[in-house]
Amino acid sequence: TGVEGCAAAPIGPSYREKDEKPKATVSGKIKFDTVHVLPQTPQLIALLTIIRDKNTQRGDFIFYSNRIIRLLVEEGLNHLPVKEHEVTTPLGRTYAGVRFEGKICGVSIMRAGESMEQGLRDCCRSVRIGKILIQRDEETAQPKLFYHKLPNDIADRWVLLLDPMNATGGSASMAVQVLKEKGVAEERILFLNLIASPEGIEHFASKYPKLRVITAFIDEGLDEKNYIVPGLGDFGDRHFGTL
Ligand code: URA
C-alpha cells in the first residue's frame, strides 16, 4: 500500500539526550503526493493524545480538537494560490509579500464535519459554508445522500471539505461526487480530517489523484464496525455530547 505503518519515534526538542526524550507513536510515512500529514510535532502528538483518551471530558475534547482543527485549516490555506503583494510598513519601507488569491468555501459533511466549521471561521472570517448530509443506508450498507446546500458559485471557489474522521472514505467520496457535479474541479478540493485510516487514504488518493487530503494522523486501520483504530471513538458523539 501507499501507507507505511506507524512508528514509535522520539518526540521533543533535539537538545535533549536521546535516551531522555519521550517516545511516542507518530503517523507513518506516506507515498502519495496529494496526501499531506501535519508535521508530527510534540504539540500535535500531545493534543492527539488528549483527544484519543477515553477519559477526556467533552469540554477538553472540544478545546483540544479545535486546536488541531486550526492547524489543519492553516495547512489547508497554505495550498491556495497567492500573488505578489507589496506593502509599505509604518517605517516607510516596502515589504515584498504575497496575498491570497481566489475565493474559498467550507463544506461540512454532517454531522461530525460541522464541528470543524468554527475552526475554519476563526481563520477565514465570514467564510461561506455549505453542508452535505450523507448517511449509511441500513438496507444496502452504502452511503446515501440525504441533503445538500451549497453556495451557487461553488464552481468558482476552492473548497475545504470538512470531516474529522476519514474511515472508509465512503461518505466523503459521495460528497466529492456532489461537488464535482456542481462543477468544482478536483484539484480545487482540499479534504481536511483529524484522523484517517490507511484504507480511507488509499481510497481517496487512487480515486481522486488531483484532490488534496490534509490530515493530522494516519492510524493503523479499521475494526469490524469500520471504526478507526486506535482512533478516538465516535467524533460526533464526543463533540456533541450524544454518547
Ligand atoms: N467516524 C468516527 O467518528 N469515528 C471513527 O472511528 C470512524 C468514523
Side-chain angles (χ1 to χ4, degrees):
T1 72
V3 184
E4 286 170 18
C6 305
I11 280 286
S14 52
Y15 61 77
R16 283 175 72 176
E17 293 295 336
K18 232 187 185 139
D19 52 4
E20 281 181 17
K21 279 206 256 178
K23 297 216 173 31
T25 308
V26 299
S27 195
K29 293 244 181 319
I30 194 86
K31 286 185 209 142
F32 301 106
D33 291 344
T34 49
V35 177
H36 303 269
V37 181
L38 291 185
Q40 301 293 295
T41 63
Q43 281 293 312
L44 176 65
I45 299 301
L47 297 172
L48 281 163
T49 307
I50 295 171
I51 65 168
R52 286 178 187 278
D53 186 342
K54 67 175 185 177
N55 294 317
T56 296
Q57 297 301 304
R58 186 173 168 217
D60 280 342
F61 183 84
I62 293 173
F63 180 84
Y64 292 104
S65 55
N66 277 343
R67 283 188 56 192
I68 301 174
I69 291 163
R70 184 78 182 239
L71 296 173
L72 289 167
V73 172
E74 296 286 3
E75 178 53 27
L77 296 176
N78 276 334
H79 291 261
L80 305 185
V82 288
K83 65 176 178 199
E84 287 175 12
H85 182 62
E86 203 172 84
V87 291
T88 307
T89 74
L91 290 94
R93 302 288 190 93
T94 55
Y95 174 75
V98 294
R99 81 169 162 215
F100 292 120
E101 200 181 32
K103 297 186 286 184
I104 68 163
C105 113
V107 172
S108 61
I109 302 179
M110 293 159 76
R111 155 183 83 133
E114 292 173 300
S115 65
M116 299 175 76
E117 293 175 2
Q118 192 54 47
L120 176 59
R121 282 195 208 97
D122 289 344
C123 298
C124 311
R125 247 183 330 186
S126 66
V127 61
R128 290 177 195 216
I129 297 184
K131 308 227 182 207
I132 298 183
L133 175 61
I134 294 160
Q135 275 176 340
R136 190 203 292 236
D137 187 311
E138 294 303 335
E139 278 170 24
T140 63
Q142 293 301 313
K144 188 172 166 195
L145 175 67
F146 280 89
Y147 168 85
H148 65 276
K149 188 80 188 170
L150 303 164
N152 287 334
D153 62 350
I154 194 160
D156 304 327
R157 293 178 180 271
W158 289 81
V159 176
L160 283 84
L161 183 62
L162 310 174
D163 196 359
M165 306 293 277
N166 175 7
T168 59
S171 357
S173 195
M174 184 165 269
V176 171
Q177 296 300 342
V178 174
L179 295 173
K180 287 178 89 169
E181 277 162 27
K182 298 280 170 191
V184 183
E186 204 176 292
E187 53 269 42
R188 283 190 171 229
I189 304 173
L190 308 168
F191 180 33
L192 310 188
N193 29 85
L194 284 92
I195 301 182
S197 73
E199 293 87 340
I201 291 289
E202 292 274 350
H203 180 104
F204 256 79
S206 46
K207 192 162 178 191
Y208 307 113
K210 293 187 197 149
L211 182 153
R212 274 164 279 191
V213 176
I214 295 160
T215 188
F217 208 101
I218 300 172
D219 262 15
E220 282 165 27
L222 299 171
D223 73 3
E224 61 291 348
K225 288 183 175 163
N226 282 341
Y227 274 88
I228 299 177
V229 284
L232 50 72
D234 189 301
F235 193 98
D237 281 345
R238 295 191 67 188
H239 181 93
F240 294 109
T242 46
L243 284 164

